[in-house]
Amino acid sequence: MSRGALSFRAVRKVYDPEGKAVLALDGVDLDIAPGEFCAIVGPSGCGKTTLLNAVAGFETLTAGAIQLDGRTIATPDASAAPGEDRIVVFQNGALFPWRSVMWNITCGPVMQGRMSEREAREHGLKLLARVGLKGCEDKYPNDLSGGQKRRVEIVRALINDPAVLLLDEPFRALDALTKSVMQEYLLELLVQFPKTVFFITHDLEEALFLGDKVVVFTSRPGRIKEVVSVDIPKPRSHEVLTSPRFLELKAALSAVVHTEAMRAFEAGEKEMAR
Amino acid sequence: MKSLATAASAPSATPAERGVPLSAGIRKYVHRHFDLVVGAATLIAFFLAWQFARPLGIPGLSAVEPPTKVVAASWDLLSSATFWTACYKSVLRILAGFALAQIIGVPIGLMMATNRMAFHTIFPVTEILRPIPPVAWIPVAIIFWPTREMSTVFIVFLGAFWIVLLNTIGGASTIDESYRRAALSLGSNRWHLFRYIVLPATMPSIVTGMVVGMGISWEMVVAAEMIASDTGLGYLLWQSFEINAGAQVIVCMLAIGIAGFVSSALIGRVGRLLTPWQGRR
Amino acid sequence: MDARTNARSPGAGSGEIVVSHASVGMFDRGGKSLQLVEDCSFLAERGLFTVLVGPSGCGKTTLMNLIAGYIGADAGTVRLDGVDVKGPGWDRLMVFQETALFPWMTTLENVAYGPMVRGIKTMPEIRAEAGALLERFGLGEFKNRYPRELSGGMQRRGELARALINDPLVLLMDEPFRGLDAMTRQLMQEYLTRLFEETRTTTIFVTSEIDEAIFLADRLVVLSRAPARVAAVIEVDLPRPRRFEQLSSPRYAELKEQALNLLYAEAAAAFEETGAGADIKEAFERRHVAD
């Protein structure tokens, strides 16, 4: 597991819509080790998604650099370029509804010629079984429940064997229990297929439950407010949520997150008043 | 779409910024106003093709008078009283037919949407009459109404009426139940419900009906004037065709187009005044 | 509002809702009769914050509509301070799921609407009162804006103001914070808690978010799968005033676990009967194998 070291150096992003400069990210320095699960928490509009988009190659930087395994993947000079080594699982999902689950999963490796159709199918079946979706391979995405779709998407991302998995609030729309079971599935999958994970969420509990490291962002401009290592051993299951150490971490971080949420809220109201 | 365009043209723009000032300036302008530049280029190409259609032998276009002749003809026409009388007549007919459509269509629509009895009484009739294109009414209208003027206004009215009616019914019957409930809880009576909830909640749909209805009104007035009238822009257009004045035909077409555009813009302005809470979209 | 609220002792001016043996049915499109609420009884005590939670589609909203008087019961009664509820009224005001501020009225006009249609005061008086209330809700600068021009959090506060200007006996809230992001939602919960702790207006609040339920509630009424009945009542003994720090307390975690287990047992049973909620069923089973 030497693949997937992600580093951010003095990352800065200024948006310039209609000449009104908005500083979205400022001075972001962060190192994510190979195989590390890094959860990013912060108020709406703090630049979390911008940062994820920059890693994914959907967005250019204004200053600074992002490196993946020593290779620069984003600077102000080069234009943005997505790559198969960084795969995004979106908030709202992006399965092709007119194709079967199996096609959705295997299209990547087959089209790139990394696997034969048969290989891909075998591999896909194995992965689907792992996430409790045995027998769903020939269904259409719309025949699946919300939680099942999320799992298919994560499987689709994993089968491409990216160096980094980028997740943008993937469990946002799910109810509490389904969400917590999805989180357990994700952790289990990552034990079998270790990946560096860049995970964005609004939910502090989710961040602490999943993350090896939790990064709290300030409200706009997005800067790193605090980085906490979660020293709760993996594998974790939901019992962790009521453990003293977990509650201790949650208490410590919730004050920080709360302050930032408050600031973002007040700034938002002030901005609207103008 | 926008991000795609930016991403694609970014590499070419970056070196340009460091290059020769003049060409860099042009390239930067093209980069910024890509849509404008392409649009203008297409228009210029079109007019060139039109102008030189005959020497170039472009089929179809070569049968039409070239733009230079159209400009000359428009000068003649615009300085004649005939043209302005025609404009005036058409606009009057539009105003009358369109206003009648609002005055009759909106209340009937509101009644149908809020009263089940009214709906089931009127709905069957509208369903039979509505699919008939207003133009198909022209002969009956000529027989039925005492003057040609009235027939023309009637056709315009019909064109706008259905769309106004349907939009009003649609808007008033899809009001979010929670608005009604909130208003009831807060102590509203039936009049309050109508005045403060139903009417404003339907207004955006009424405005949509007005905008679309105005477009149809112009179609109808032109068709009706061609057949049933001896004044107006539609009549003038047909007349020009019959006396083989090709350039004048084009001028009339353009005039009708411009009039339609201006009246739609005006209606849009009125619509924004009627629905100030809606923003500019 | 301020003067009266501060003068009265907590909960004194507010009402008590008793739902007893209420049943509500309806016919679906195929003409089949469908039971939404069945023999449901519970008490929303004067000056307490009662939260209804239940699996999705269990009839929570129907129950709220019944209390608000938008629909009638087939059997049983809903009483406000001993008087049968017969229709909608300003003594029980509802704050809706997605915001129901009238989009065509400014914030001030929205807040003034209730007193205006009831004609209890002159317009200048009403406008002054509404303006003062909006000031207190931090919306003073936004009183001439349309709801579209407000953020989600502001709209919810505007709606609270529109209800509270009428000094209702009971506040009914049907998932009012749905659609807000998690952090804004948390802030709005704190806001509502502070407001409640000041006024002690009897509140019935529906939600499907368990964290929200426990944070707000004095008493948690857990509803069964459809048709809605009361499956359990949990007294939330977290001290008031509530602070977000309590979300990290062991007692909070315990209450959450207890409520979640009740809820998902209901959801799993609902799946057995109707096939709805496959996700939840699967999650529940997995949890129990793991346990």
Side-chain angles (χ1 to χ4, degrees):
Chain A
M1 186 76 224
S2 54
R3 215 158 65 100
L6 201 55
S7 73
F8 302 81
R9 290 287 164 266
V11 168
R12 182 182 165 87
K13 173 76 189 181
V14 181
Y15 282 106
D16 189 19
E18 324 285 308
K20 206 173 63 184
V22 176
L23 184 55
L25 288 167
D26 191 26
V28 174
D29 279 294
L30 182 66
D31 281 294
I32 304 174
E36 193 173 29
F37 195 118
C38 178
I40 313 276
V41 198
S44 301
C46 75
K48 303 183 297 268
T49 300
T50 306
L51 196 61
L52 180 135
N53 283 341
V55 179
F58 300 146
E59 199 121 41
T60 54
L61 300 178
T62 309
I66 303 175
Q67 293 191 319
L68 176 59
D69 296 324
R71 192 167 54 85
T72 302
I73 54 172
T75 60
D77 302 325
S79 62
E84 301 118 47
D85 51 351
R86 294 155 269 149
I87 290 185
V88 187
V89 175
F90 290 99
Q91 256 174 42
N92 308 316
L95 293 173
F96 301 111
W98 51 86
R99 291 291 197 161
S100 70
V101 165
M102 185 49 77
W103 191 91
N104 267 287
I105 294 175
T106 54
C107 64
V110 170
M111 281 178 181
Q112 293 152 25
R114 281 195 294 104
M115 287 184 198
S116 71
E117 215 161 304
R118 234 182 84 197
E119 268 177 312
R121 190 175 167 85
E122 267 167 33
H123 195 43
L125 284 174
K126 216 163 51 191
L127 280 167
L128 283 177
R130 286 255 158 74
V131 295
L133 291 178
K134 212 175 198 158
C136 289
E137 60 272 13
D138 295 324
K139 290 186 178 171
Y140 285 102
N142 287 340
D143 298 332
L144 303 180
S145 69
Q148 289 172 328
K149 277 189 212 167
R150 309 317 299 174
R151 277 176 273 165
V152 172
E153 268 172 76
I154 292 170
V155 164
R156 176 168 74 171
L158 281 175
I159 207 170
N160 282 287
D161 194 28
V164 187
L165 195 57
L166 304 161
L167 298 160
D168 190 357
E169 291 200 65
F171 308 136
R172 183 181 186 160
L174 304 176
D175 74 283
L177 185 78
T178 312
K179 185 169 169 171
S180 86
V181 169
M182 276 324 122
Q183 292 163 354
E184 286 174 16
Y185 271 129
L186 178 60
L187 286 185
E188 273 170 38
L189 269 177
L190 288 170
V191 170
Q192 281 153 1
F193 305 92
K195 291 273 170 279
T196 306
V197 182
F198 188 88
F199 189 97
I200 287 181
T201 180
H202 264 111
D203 181 347
L204 179 60
E205 195 170 271
E206 179 171 71
L208 284 167
F209 179 68
L210 294 173
D212 300 311
K213 172 151 72 190
V214 173
V215 180
V216 181
F217 267 67
T218 63
S219 70
R220 192 186 303 153
R223 296 191 180 101
I224 291 178
K225 171 93 175 185
E226 197 149 330
V227 181
V228 177
S229 328
V230 184
D231 50 6
I232 297 170
K234 283 189 173 174
R236 299 174 193 157
S237 75
H238 73 289
E239 280 89 5
V240 162
L241 297 177
T242 46
S243 71
R245 179 62 186 143
F246 186 88
L247 289 172
E248 198 181 318
L249 281 167
K250 189 178 165 191
L253 267 192
S254 69
V256 179
V257 170
H258 193 266
T259 313
E260 283 313 314
M262 214 49 198
R263 269 191 46 202
F265 187 73
E266 277 158 15
E269 307 241 309
K270 224 172 269 163
E271 200 167 298
M272 295 218 62
R274 261 189 272 126
Chain B
M1 211 34 222
K2 200 162 193 181
S3 68
L4 256 179
T6 319
S9 40
S12 64
T14 316
E17 277 158 23
R18 301 190 194 110
V20 194
L22 181 65
S23 79
I26 293 170
R27 291 180 78 162
K28 200 167 180 181
Y29 183 85
V30 171
H31 178 70
R32 279 258 172 90
H33 303 279
F34 186 72
D35 44 355
L36 275 182
V37 171
V38 171
T42 315
L43 274 181
I44 292 169
F46 170 74
F47 277 108
L48 285 177
W50 182 10
Q51 181 69 42
F52 300 108
R54 274 177 203 169
L56 290 172
I58 301 175
L61 258 187
S62 51
V64 184
E65 297 289 336
T68 40
K69 290 214 173 157
V70 172
V71 171
S74 66
W75 183 250
D76 291 343
L77 199 61
L78 289 182
S79 50
S80 75
T82 329
F83 174 78
W84 293 107
T85 318
C87 279
Y88 174 70
K89 286 277 183 189
S90 292
V91 168
L92 271 192
R93 286 168 188 150
I94 290 275
L95 279 181
F98 181 78
L100 277 175
Q102 304 299 328
I103 292 167
I104 298 172
V106 171
I108 292 184
L110 285 173
M111 213 164 71
M112 284 175 74
T114 49
N115 185 322
R116 275 187 58 186
M117 188 63 204
F119 184 84
H120 290 295
T121 315
I122 306 173
F123 185 69
V125 186
T126 63
E127 276 312 274
I128 290 172
L129 298 183
R130 196 170 52 83
I132 304 171
V135 185
W137 282 84
I138 294 179
V140 178
I142 295 175
I143 299 166
F144 188 79
W145 296 98
T147 67
R148 289 285 172 114
E149 196 59 41
M150 282 179 168
S151 323
T152 315
V153 170
F154 176 70
I155 298 302
V156 173
F157 160 80
L158 267 187
F161 177 72
W162 296 120
I163 203 79
V164 169
L165 185 72
L166 285 184
N167 269 284
T168 309
I169 296 176
S173 52
T174 52
I175 299 172
D176 193 328
E177 182 63 15
S178 57
Y179 296 137
R180 230 175 56 83
R181 287 184 164 176
L184 279 175
S185 275
L186 290 163
S188 310
N189 59 28
R190 287 176 66 99
W191 162 247
H192 293 138
L193 271 186
F194 178 78
R195 165 69 185 81
Y196 295 111
I197 310 299
V198 175
L199 198 58
T202 312
M203 200 49 87
S205 308
I206 295 178
V207 168
T208 309
M210 282 166 74
V211 172
V212 181
M214 182 48 89
I216 300 179
S217 293
W218 274 101
E219 288 175 30
M220 290 309 122
V221 86
V222 170
E225 284 170 348
M226 281 181 177
I227 299 169
S229 179
D230 50 9
T231 51
L233 281 173
Y235 170 79
L236 190 62
L237 172 62
W238 195 249
Q239 200 61 18
S240 311
F241 166 71
E242 297 221 304
I243 61 168
N244 223 351
Q248 199 167 306
V249 167
I250 305 279
V251 180
C252 287
M253 282 167 66
L254 288 175
I256 293 167
I258 291 168
F261 177 80
V262 169
S263 45
S264 287
L266 280 176
I267 291 293
R269 189 64 65 82
V270 171
R272 278 201 288 283
L273 287 178
L274 287 173
T275 57
W277 64 91
Q278 284 234 302
R280 294 202 113 232
R281 269 168 304 139
Chain C
M1 166 151 189
D2 296 47
R4 257 172 306 163
T5 312
N6 294 339
R8 74 188 184 200
S9 59
S14 65
E16 180 172 84
I17 292 272
V18 182
V19 177
S20 55
H21 306 288
S23 295
V24 179
M26 59 166 255
F27 293 101
D28 67 6
R29 251 182 263 165
K32 226 172 63 185
S33 93
L34 211 67
Q35 205 60 29
L36 301 174
V37 177
E38 193 168 76
D39 195 24
C40 181
S41 302
F42 73 92
L43 162 73
E45 220 170 294
R46 194 182 310 280
L48 286 194
F49 203 112
T50 304
V51 175
L52 307 182
V53 282
S56 62
C58 81
K60 298 186 290 272
T61 296
T62 310
L63 201 51
M64 287 298 260
N65 287 337
L66 184 66
I67 299 170
Y70 299 137
I71 57 174
D74 300 333
T77 55
V78 178
R79 288 206 172 90
L80 169 59
D81 290 339
V83 180
D84 275 3
V85 161
K86 289 240 170 56
W90 58 269
D91 49 4
R92 290 150 283 131
L93 283 182
M94 179 89 117
V95 176
F96 289 87
Q97 263 178 18
E98 304 299 328
T99 179
L101 283 177
F102 306 127
W104 46 86
M105 294 184 195
T106 63
T107 318
L108 187 81
E109 286 165 353
N110 263 288
V111 176
Y113 185 80
M116 177 190 81
V117 294
R118 281 159 56 209
I120 47 169
K121 285 176 194 152
T122 66
M123 259 339 263
E125 277 172 350
I126 295 170
R127 295 181 76 87
E129 196 180 330
L133 193 60
L134 282 172
E135 205 68 57
R136 200 182 135 208
F137 276 67
L139 293 172
E141 288 176 83
F142 301 96
K143 64 182 181 193
N144 293 323
R145 300 267 186 104
Y146 288 107
R148 189 183 58 85
E149 302 167 301
L150 305 182
S151 71
M154 293 177 190
Q155 291 181 12
R156 311 304 149 106
R157 277 180 288 155
E159 217 183 329
L160 271 172
R162 184 177 70 176
L164 289 176
I165 196 173
N166 299 285
D167 225 349
L169 300 176
V170 181
L171 205 53
L172 306 173
M173 306 183 86
D174 186 6
E175 297 205 45
F177 302 147
R178 201 157 91 165
L180 299 176
D181 71 73
M183 288 187 181
T184 310
R185 196 167 177 152
Q186 172 66 40
L187 295 175
M188 284 308 295
Q189 288 161 12
E190 288 169 35
Y191 194 85
L192 179 62
T193 298
R194 270 203 307 280
L195 196 69
F196 170 75
E197 282 162 3
E198 260 171 53
T199 63
R200 291 280 176 173
T201 303
T202 311
T203 305
I204 306 180
F205 189 103
V206 163
T207 181
S208 46
E209 280 280 311
I210 200 72
D211 287 297
E212 180 169 276
I214 299 173
F215 181 73
L216 293 170
D218 293 307
R219 182 175 286 163
L220 207 57
V221 176
V222 182
L223 296 174
S224 70
R225 60 193 180 275
R229 248 170 285 124
V230 174
V233 175
I234 301 174
E235 301 292 333
V236 179
D237 48 10
L238 298 169
R240 285 193 187 274
R242 295 273 164 86
R243 293 278 175 272
F244 74 89
E245 289 88 349
Q246 283 164 300
L247 288 171
S248 322
S249 73
R251 178 63 189 145
Y252 172 82
E254 258 173 56
L255 284 165
K256 182 173 174 180
E257 191 71 20
Q258 189 188 350
L260 271 181
N261 281 334
L262 275 166
L263 266 176
Y264 291 118
E266 284 300 331
F271 177 78
E272 294 299 330
E273 287 165 14
T274 65
D279 269 349
I280 294 182
K281 150 99 180 340
E282 193 190 332
F284 185 73
E285 278 177 352
R286 201 180 132 86
R287 208 24 88 64
H288 279 260
V289 172
D291 287 352

